[in-house]
Structures are given as C-alpha cells and as structure tokens.
Amino acid sequence: MTTAINFQNLTLGYDQHPAVSQLQSDIKEGSLTAIVGPNGAGKSTLLKGVVGSLAPLEGQIVLGSHACKSMAYLPQQSVIEQSFPLSVVDLVAMGLWQEIGPFGRINSERRSRVDDAISAVGLTGFETRIIGSLSGGQMQRALFARLLLQDAAIVLLDEPFKSVDSRTTADLICVIKSWHQEGRTVLAVLHDDETVRAHFPDTLMLARELVAHGPTSKVLTAENHFRARQMCEACDGPPHVCGRDAA
Amino acid sequence: MIFDIFFQPFYDYGFMRRALYGCIAISFGATPVGVFLMLRRMSLTGDAMAHAILPGAAMGYLVSGLSLGAMTIGGLIAGLTVALLSGFVSRLTALREDASLAAFYMISLALGVLIVSTRGSNIDLMHVLFGTVLALDNAALILLSSITTLSTLTLAIFFRPLVLECVDPQFLRSVSSLSAVTHFTFLALVVLNLVGGFHALGTLMSVGIMILPAASARFWTVSVGGLMTVAFVIAILSSLIGLLLSFNFSLPSGPAIILVVGVAYLISLAFGSADGIITQLVRRSQTTS
C-alpha cells in the first residue's frame, strides 16, 4: 500500500509554540484513520497542517501523488459563520470550487450533482433554507454534501460528530464508510472511543507527540490513554520546550 | 404642491441635480460593500477606515489645495497604508487586527486634523470632515462614477470568494490561494468607496451611507442580493429626502442625508418585515394566541 501522507519529523504550532512536536508517521492510501488524543493534543492542528493552512515550524508533510491532486477538509462547525444569509444549495455548491473556481457557472448538470449530494445526506427539501436556520446535525449533513461534491482523494474531518445526534452520526458514518470503500484516504479527529473502535480500522493517538499509530485495537489501550494524558500534562508548562522535556 | 416640494429644486438648480447624481453614484458603489462589511462583522472597521483617510486627503490639500485628484490619491494612499499596516501587525504580533486598526486610525486621524488645522482654515477642515455635496462639479461626478464602476466590477469578480471568505474562510484557504487576496481587495474597496464618498459627504459621514443602509436592510430581507437591493433603495431615498430637507431648511446636506438614513434605520428596526422588533412581537403574539 502506498503512502498518502508522510509526516517527517513534523512540528506544527502557533507563534513558535509547538502544538504538534516531531511527528514521524505515514498515512497509507485508502486507509480510514481516526486521530484521537486528549484536549490540546494537537489533533486539529495536525489537520490544518495537512490541508496547508498552517506551515510547519520544523520538518515537513509529504503528500502522495493522488493526495496532491485533491483534498477535502471539514473544519469544526464553530469556524463557520452560520449567520451569513446563504442557502443550503449555495453552501453545498461550493464543493464544486475545483471545477468552477471563482467565475464558473453552475449549469443544469452541476446543479443536478448538487441535488444528488443533498439527497445523499438526507437533506432533500432543505435546498432553499438559509444555513442559519439549520440544526447542528442538519448543518453537518450539508457540509458532508459539500465534501461529496469535492470528490477528493483525501478527506480530512475535524470532529465531524460534535453536537450531532446519534441518527445523524450513523448516517454520516455510512457516508465515511462509502468513501473508504471507494479507496479514498480518510482522516477524522474523534473523541468517542466507541465510535473509533466500531468503525475506524486505524488510529493515530497524539499527545502533542505521537503516542501510537496502527490498528485501532492496538492503539486504543488503557496504557496509551494514560501515557497520552501524562504527556499532555507534562506539556502544560512552557510550550517551547514541550516535546523534548516530555520525552 | 408635490412637484414643488420633491421635483422643483432639482428642476431649477443644477447643483441639486449634480448632488443627487453624486449620491446615487456613491450609494451604488458603497452599499454592497457596506452589506459585506456588516455580514463580516466589520462595520466598525469601515468607521475606522473613514477616519484613516483623513491625513492623506489633508496632505493632498497641502500640496495642491482643494484639488480633487490630489486629495483622492492622498486619501487612497493613507487608507490602504493603514489597512496594510494593521494586517501586517496582526500577523506579525499577538495584537488582533481590530486593535492594531484602532491604533493606526487614531494616529492617522490626529495627524490629519493637525495638518489641516495648522495649514488650512476651519472651512477647509469642515470641507474634509463633512464634505460639500452641493458643490460637486462635473469632474467630481466623473470621479465618483468611475469609483463606483470600478468598485462594482471588482465586487462582481470577487463575489464568490468573498462569500466563501465570510462563511467559511478555512474552506476557501483549503481550496484556493485567493483568501488573502480577497481580504485585501475587499479592504481596498472599502477605502476606495470611502474616498469617493468623502468628496460629497466628508470623511466622517461617508461611512454612514455605507453602513446604515446595510444595517437597515437586514430588518427587511435575508438574502445577500436582497440586502444589496434594499440597502441601495434606502440609500437613494434617504439621499433624495436629505437633499430636499437641506435645500428647504438650509441644513448642512451631508449630516441631513445621514440623519435621514438614520431615521430609515430606526423605522426598519421597529417595523422591518424580516426581523423588526414590532414585527417579532406581533408574530409572537399570533403564535401564542
């Protein structure tokens, strides 16, 4: 299996303060990987690094040939401005950006694909609704429809089931599994171990540094959880010495 | 009677016609920008930028007197400098962009008032601060029309990335490298429209025709296109009424126009069909009964 994402001694952070330190690992093409760890472990930071919105302080992220072509990213809902008067169909249609760019027209064929994506996440009938009127679960479904349209080789999900009811979670897991079956590489930041155990074959546990990476059953152990908590607590001191002191 | 009140001043006097044309031009360019300022929660940024253009206009005045071109270029340079410096400081330091903008615009405003006060007369200062909409000549109208055309075309080109930048900036950054370009182009549009507006309404009042109609429109409609249309209509009607009040009661025209937009805002706040306070109360009472 070829490598989709290679973390080479990667350090990511803000204002020169590392949030992820000296990470060395590979994400295989077509894998379905959960990223877990305590709060402040650097999970969301890692996704921002992969998507390119945060430059490495040290090391690098090397993307495989497929990954370079396309990547879809679902940020946490809190960074989305839901008070903006945008309809569901317009939000979902943004997933066509790689095809249409800033000026391209949404013709009938593209509109039909937008409708299909909305239908696939169970939001038919909500097309003209303003996003501010959607519940947390409906909004997440709309964002998944946008991901569907992006048709990307790598899909990055930052806490996709946060503030979402169990039925929506189940529906969205079906979408994620279909991506996995299609051979896409999926990385999802998650907090619920049960969900990870049930649906994600691989897990990467972070505590600013790598705790463990491999099959979920071998990573989600009591020892690793204990070690991750200890490492994060050790890092709560001066952040610039975090990685080396904790090791 | 109605003709005398509403049309006679524009029929009889060229300066009234030019003033109305100038207000229409300013409104056409500034109100869509104001809608985006409001939707991006940057309304006070517009106010700060309006203050920031003052020293540039004052420097233009010092060099060439009350020259349209010199004051426009000076205002543009000052406004863009403050916008860029604020952006750089917020990216290089821990200071947030609103705080660095507040710092730079205060320095800029003080510098501008100092220049005009020491080298010009009170009349000059009043001209820069409050504008002279009733004294717009043909050259000024051409300038305002050009600024509006450029602003509208640029907004049309950047419309989609601008909407994305407002709704989901991280998504835009993940699919395109247009994020920073969009942000600074938008700030440039704000400055451009404020500079156009200050010739008619002054540096302090020009932001009013940008923000107040947009804020009023929010109480009547929820779609972006609807907001722009309603804001433009409110700006035009307010300009017309403000000019007539100014003409009939010998009031300063810039503040008269902005006060009328202010009244439109209060009416919208109370009776707006989308989110007005009284409309909400009526809806609630109908729901409970």
Side-chain angles (χ1 to χ4, degrees):
Chain A
M1 198 180 266
T2 54
T3 300
I5 307 169
N6 178 216
F7 304 114
Q8 295 183 353
N9 196 31
L10 177 70
T11 299
L12 292 164
Y14 307 92
D15 301 326
Q16 298 300 312
H17 296 160
V20 174
S21 188
Q22 295 174 314
L23 176 65
Q24 190 84 36
S25 195
D26 281 339
I27 304 292
K28 300 296 177 199
E29 246 180 50
S31 63
L32 175 56
T33 307
I35 302 174
V36 300
N39 288 332
K43 305 181 294 291
S44 299
T45 304
L46 182 62
L47 290 196
K48 286 179 192 170
V50 175
V51 84
S53 64
L54 195 62
L57 298 175
E58 285 174 23
Q60 59 179 338
I61 300 169
V62 179
L63 300 176
S65 54
H66 285 90
C68 290
K69 285 180 192 162
S70 61
M71 196 180 294
Y73 172 50
L74 176 74
Q76 289 183 24
Q77 262 195 39
S78 57
V79 301
I80 293 166
E81 181 57 70
Q82 267 188 266
S83 68
F84 194 94
L86 192 73
S87 67
V88 169
V89 73
D90 286 336
L91 177 80
V92 174
M94 287 175 180
L96 293 169
W97 178 276
Q98 300 289 6
E99 283 178 51
I100 60 175
F103 311 117
R105 204 166 66 86
I106 297 175
N107 55 23
S108 56
E109 184 267 333
R110 286 177 180 140
R111 175 60 205 242
S112 157
R113 281 162 56 204
V114 171
D115 289 339
D116 289 347
I118 290 173
S119 165
V121 296
L123 273 187
T124 302
F126 286 76
E127 288 87 346
T128 55
R129 283 269 292 270
I130 297 296
I131 57 172
S133 69
L134 299 180
S135 68
Q138 289 164 343
M139 184 66 190
Q140 202 67 332
R141 285 173 189 266
L143 292 171
F144 264 69
R146 188 175 74 180
L147 288 171
L148 281 169
L149 281 179
Q150 285 186 262
D151 193 26
I154 292 190
V155 183
L156 308 169
L157 309 168
D158 196 351
E159 301 198 27
F161 311 130
K162 194 178 176 186
S163 313
V164 166
D165 61 39
S166 55
R167 188 182 158 193
T168 304
T169 301
D171 289 348
L172 297 183
I173 284 172
C174 287
V175 176
I176 291 172
K177 283 185 166 174
S178 72
W179 284 329
H180 181 48
Q181 283 160 7
E182 289 164 8
R184 301 177 205 271
T185 309
V186 182
L187 265 87
V189 170
L190 294 170
H191 277 288
D192 178 21
D193 280 4
E194 291 313 308
T195 306
V196 177
R197 280 198 186 91
H199 305 289
F200 286 75
D202 293 310
T203 297
L204 186 153
M205 187 180 284
L206 266 184
R208 299 201 185 177
E209 293 175 66
L210 181 67
V211 178
H213 182 195
T216 296
S217 57
K218 290 185 180 169
V219 173
L220 288 187
T221 61
E223 302 96 87
N224 280 339
H225 276 304
F226 179 69
R227 213 172 127 228
R229 273 198 303 276
Q230 276 194 321
M231 284 164 74
C232 268
E233 282 163 13
C235 289
D236 284 341
H240 63 282
V241 292
C242 147
R244 288 172 181 85
D245 280 358
Chain B
M1 180 69 177
I2 290 174
F3 182 85
D4 288 347
I5 292 172
F6 288 102
F7 299 107
Q8 196 70 44
F10 298 105
Y11 187 76
D12 288 344
Y13 300 104
F15 70 87
M16 284 295 283
R17 287 195 294 276
R18 281 196 294 275
L20 183 62
Y21 180 88
C23 288
I24 292 171
I26 292 168
S27 302
F28 196 77
T31 50
V33 173
V35 165
F36 273 102
L37 270 177
M38 178 188 67
L39 292 174
R40 297 186 75 184
R41 303 180 191 217
M42 290 171 64
S43 300
L44 288 175
T45 300
D47 190 36
M49 298 309 299
H51 290 76
I53 63 178
L54 185 62
M59 287 300 289
Y61 164 75
L62 271 188
V63 173
S64 308
L66 285 172
S67 156
L68 196 66
M71 290 174 75
T72 301
I73 292 168
L76 277 175
I77 291 172
L80 292 174
T81 304
V82 168
L84 288 173
L85 281 176
S86 308
F88 282 128
V89 168
S90 67
R91 278 160 183 76
L92 295 174
T93 69
L95 201 64
R96 289 172 66 96
E97 190 162 0
D98 63 329
S100 57
L101 185 63
F104 281 115
Y105 102 73
M106 284 312 300
I107 295 167
S108 197
L109 178 65
L111 185 64
V113 173
L114 191 78
I115 292 169
V116 178
S117 302
T118 53
R119 304 295 295 269
S121 66
N122 279 343
I123 294 170
D124 298 328
L125 180 62
M126 295 297 277
H127 166 82
V128 174
L129 289 179
F130 301 112
T132 49
V133 69
L134 296 180
L136 291 174
D137 57 15
N138 288 345
L141 291 184
I142 290 169
L143 177 77
L144 295 185
S145 305
S146 305
I147 285 175
T148 292
T149 306
L150 180 63
S151 173
T152 308
L153 288 175
T154 309
L155 198 65
I157 290 168
F158 279 88
F159 188 83
R160 193 175 283 162
L162 191 55
V163 168
L164 259 181
E165 176 75 7
C166 295
V167 179
D168 193 350
Q170 284 198 9
F171 177 77
L172 180 62
R173 280 196 283 275
S174 74
V175 294
S176 158
S177 55
L178 283 174
S179 179
V181 177
T182 303
H183 180 66
F184 284 110
T185 301
F186 179 67
L187 285 181
L189 285 184
V190 173
V191 173
L192 189 67
N193 280 285
L194 288 172
V195 168
F198 96 73
H199 289 297
L201 301 170
T203 55
L204 296 185
M205 294 289 137
S206 61
V207 73
I209 204 78
M210 192 177 271
I211 296 298
L212 276 169
S216 310
R218 197 72 167 100
F219 297 109
W220 296 102
T221 181
V222 288
S223 72
V224 180
L227 285 170
M228 288 179 178
T229 309
V230 173
F232 178 62
V233 170
I234 288 174
I236 293 295
L237 290 177
S238 302
S239 299
L240 180 70
I241 297 168
L243 283 172
L244 289 169
L245 288 173
S246 168
F247 179 82
N248 287 309
F249 299 101
S250 301
L251 300 171
S253 46
I257 291 168
I258 300 304
L259 272 176
V260 174
V261 197
V263 171
Y265 170 78
L266 294 175
I267 292 170
S268 306
L269 172 67
F271 301 106
S273 58
D275 205 20
I277 291 171
I278 291 173
T279 311
Q280 282 186 43
L281 290 174
V282 169
R283 274 196 203 129
R284 270 183 216 154
S285 66
Q286 283 172 346
T287 311
T288 49
S289 64

